[in-house]
Amino acid sequence: MAGSGVFAELLDGDTFKYYADGQWKRSTSGNSMTVINPTSRSTYYKLSVCTKEEMDHMFDAAREAQRAWARVPLWRRAEALHKAAALLKQNKDVIAECLVKEVAKPAKDSVTEVVRSADFIDYTAEEGIRILSEGKCLVPDSFPGNERNKLCLSSRIPLGVVLAIPPFNYPVNLSVSKIAPALIAGNAVVVKPPMQGSVAALHMIQCFHLAGFPKGLISAITIKVADLGDALTTHPAINCISFTGGDSGIAIAKRAGMVPLQMELGGKDACIVLDDADLDLAAANIIKGGFSFSGQRCTAVKIVLAMDTIANKLVEKVNVKVARLSVGPPEVDSDITPVVSESSADFIEGLVMDARQKGAKLWQEYRREGNLIWPILIDNVRPDMRITWEEPFGPIIPVIRIRTIEEGVQHCNSSRYGLQGCVFTNNIHRALIVSDAMETGTVQINSAPARGPDHFPFQGLRDSGIGSQGITNSIHMMTKVKSTVINLPVSSYTMG
Ligand SMILES: NC(=O)C1=CN([C@@H]2O[C@H](COP(=O)(O)OP(=O)(O)OC[C@H]3O[C@@H](n4cnc5c(N)ncnc54)[C@H](OP(=O)(O)O)[C@@H]3O)[C@@H](O)[C@H]2O)C=CC1
Ligand SMILES: O=C(O)[C@H](O)COP(=O)(O)O
């Protein structure tokens, strides 16, 4: 149960504390905020509301702890990360239970998220050892006008303090995907967990605490973003921001100062199905890609662009599978579970109603109970409908019928998002031509979009983000190259 056993020190009465100075603390504000269970729609957990002074103190402590951490040998940093990973795995059930209650993630998927996060940490520790132990030595006589009278030694150094802001849909995994690369590279981290998902994230932080990381190196702050969001993201002590979330990230990026940004934002991933595609494979991937975690994934299939000649057959196959999806609470592993909040459910409903009113065909009757929305395939969607361009983050799949491949590619490239996309065809040449033409960070051929495996590069174009994730890229992003040039009194050549 949350807040029990090795997690008991996280709780003060019924309120979860925040983490700073290597301790769990109750905010001096005396205020709390609530996490609503999306299934029951009632308060499930309470969190401390931190103050600006507590935030400032956290950053001061992070700066100090980082200086010492950067001097800890790399193998010891890796060792500490492996310990945290093992603790996460040991405590996977209690952390998964928080995910079930806070974000209504199906029970099995919740456990998978925690285990995947532990694997992420282990892999990062190993990758960090390899990447960060390598440097470069350049000699100057390759550049015109130079003799061989210098050696340029370069290696990677930490940035300082990394601010990590993850979203509600992967509060554990998308926290560790920022924390682990930051720490292996010698940085300190301040984490601001998403409101829904905070308790799972705080439990994950306790695993780092129990692994023995130095005090002040990792902090977790719980705030009301309306009050302290700007102060947090523009804090002068920050040396890097790693953010995953929706359009709020665009405003954060615009306000951020001269610090490297890793922004992984929204998506409207298109699935283009050509006339020679394996339609069973395409249908299975549209279901998996569109409805996993009830469509609340940045990489969910958010629009299907099907060639006219096969569209009827494809829709029929997808519909058979939609009918088989179970709908209900996350505790019993239903395929479709309540979406994260009432406002999210209202937004999704607005998109469905707009499409229906403008003439789209709903293959299933629209049904909603509280935050639970039954899965729907919306056919004959047109460009004047909101669902064509907006990200529903819910169990809805719109279908647009296209006459040519170019029409599909053009639609994909007209979106303000450019995260991932996919194309289904049995002709590898057509697949590559479409993949090259699609302006998205990644294109999957004959499979639904996905971020994982976690060491693959993951990036979005346009409003989908800045920079690239994936274990190797995150380590690079959270470090800077530093050079030392050794100047020799005379030129020195081999054998001479
Ligand atoms: N490209 C990618 O890798 C991924 C992108 N996403 C995208 O995330 C979105 C869904 O996640 P969601 O959590 O709703 O996204 P939000 O953008 O609403 O929130 C993301 C995080 O940012 C915080 N936040 C919001 N506003 C501010 C602010 N002004 N200052 C500081 N922090 C702020 C939130 O805190 P709080 O919860 O307290 O409001 C939360 O921790 C979707 O658009 C999805 O596509 C999701 C996963 C992966
Ligand atoms: O929100 C998201 O979509 C996640 O970043 C996706 O992760 P996945 O594609 O590996 O499930």
Side-chain angles (χ1 to χ4, degrees), residues 165-170 174 192-196 223 225 229-230 232-233 243-249 252 255 264-267 297-298 302 391 393 419 451 458 464 469:
I165 305 186
F168 82 83
N169 61 342
Y170 287 81
L174 284 169
K192 198 232 56 86
M195 175 83 91
Q196 300 288 138
I223 53 163
V225 292
D230 287 357
L232 176 71
T233 55
F243 175 97
T244 308
D247 284 352
S248 48
I252 290 172
R255 275 194 302 268
E264 297 295 341
L265 311 182
R297 292 166 58 243
C298 58
K302 294 187 183 127
E391 183 186 28
F393 238 56
L419 190 59
R451 171 167 52 102
F458 181 58
S464 288
Q469 273 192 103

Side-chain angles (χ1 to χ4, degrees), residues 449-495:
R451 171 167 52 102
D454 289 333
H455 63 306
F456 281 13
F458 181 58
Q459 53 280 318
L461 307 185
R462 302 188 291 283
D463 283 353
S464 288
I466 300 174
S468 178
Q469 273 192 103
I471 291 173
T472 313
N473 285 346
S474 291
I475 296 173
H476 279 140
M477 189 265 165
M478 292 177 185
T479 50
K480 204 171 169 73
V481 174
K482 162 92 191 259
S483 303
T484 299
V485 180
I486 302 172
N487 290 277
L488 306 174
V490 287
S491 293
S492 167
Y493 289 89
T494 310
M495 303 297 289

Side-chain angles (χ1 to χ4, degrees), residues 57-193:
H57 176 75
M58 229 175 239
F59 279 111
D60 288 344
R63 274 221 269 228
E64 200 182 316
Q66 190 272 327
R67 282 188 209 109
W69 181 243
R71 291 160 188 251
V72 171
L74 187 51
W75 66 269
R76 277 202 190 280
R77 287 186 233 153
E79 202 173 62
L81 283 168
H82 285 306
K83 260 193 207 164
L87 282 155
L88 257 188
K89 275 194 182 157
Q90 269 167 38
N91 293 291
K92 63 180 188 307
D93 292 330
V94 63
I95 301 174
E97 186 203 308
C98 302
L99 292 171
V100 170
K101 303 299 181 193
E102 286 183 289
V103 300
K105 184 167 280 197
K108 251 199 225 149
D109 296 348
S110 295
V111 174
T112 304
E113 175 172 346
V114 182
V115 173
R116 172 182 180 179
S117 304
D119 291 339
F120 188 109
I121 297 171
D122 280 330
Y123 195 105
T124 304
E126 289 159 22
E127 188 72 347
I129 288 271
R130 286 191 284 270
I131 295 177
L132 298 167
S133 60
E134 248 183 30
K136 245 189 180 178
C137 177
L138 283 179
V139 289
D141 63 335
S142 47
F143 199 88
N146 284 275
E147 299 281 313
R148 201 181 174 97
N149 60 354
K150 296 170 195 289
L151 295 175
C152 176
L153 307 177
S154 61
S155 60
R156 296 201 155 262
I157 57 166
L159 296 178
V161 179
V162 174
L163 173 64
I165 305 186
F168 82 83
N169 61 342
Y170 287 81
V172 175
N173 184 260
L174 284 169
S175 292
V176 304
S177 71
K178 304 170 189 323
I179 296 171
L183 292 178
I184 192 68
N187 299 290
V189 203
V190 172
V191 186
K192 198 232 56 86

